[in-house]
Amino acid sequence: MSAVSSLSAAVGSVASYAFWGPDGRVLADFYAAALGWRVAEEFPGEDGAPTAFLVTDGSTRFIFYTARDFTAPDWPQEELPFHLDLAFEDVPAAERRLLGLGATKPAHQPGGEYWTVLLDPSGQPFCISAGRLEG
């Protein structure tokens, strides 16, 4: 095996992004509606009840898990290990729609005119903006 094919065999890709919350179905429904995606599959937990929910647009996959002992971060007092940045063409309209879907808007808004922080139904922060990160 050549060095190039050995390296390519060792390079991975992201299969999905996983998120936990007090109710995985509620989060899956929220982000599916927010992004115009769909809840494509449910996965049972140890008791057989659905506990994980796959949301996809056909190429990117999010999985939302129900975590009985989930506690939302105390943001902005606690730093976040990561969060989602969502881009929309019409940010004010997106904000109104997301608030209608169950998001809330915290008083602390560090993004100025560049981004808006919202909290999803589990209390986890995510940002919305008009920009896209180009790589």
Side-chain angles (χ1 to χ4, degrees), residues 19-38:
F19 302 87
W20 281 257
D23 187 327
R25 182 64 200 220
V26 167
L27 282 179
D29 288 342
F30 174 79
Y31 282 104
L35 296 167
W37 295 6
R38 64 188 174 86

Side-chain angles (χ1 to χ4, degrees), residues 59-128:
S59 62
T60 302
R61 300 160 36 120
F62 292 162
I63 299 178
F64 296 94
Y65 291 92
T66 298
R68 287 179 288 242
D69 297 326
F70 176 81
T71 302
D74 184 15
W75 181 85
Q77 287 72 28
E78 295 176 5
E79 292 183 0
L80 302 175
F82 67 93
H83 70 278
L84 289 174
D85 289 325
L86 306 180
F88 296 93
E89 287 183 24
D90 185 340
V91 175
E95 180 179 327
R96 288 189 298 275
R97 190 169 64 80
L98 293 166
L99 292 171
L101 290 171
T104 56
K105 185 174 181 179
H108 183 64
Q109 291 294 322
E113 64 187 66
Y114 301 106
W115 69 83
T116 300
V117 178
L118 297 177
L119 305 177
D120 71 19
S122 72
Q124 297 181 81
F126 68 99
C127 296
I128 61 173

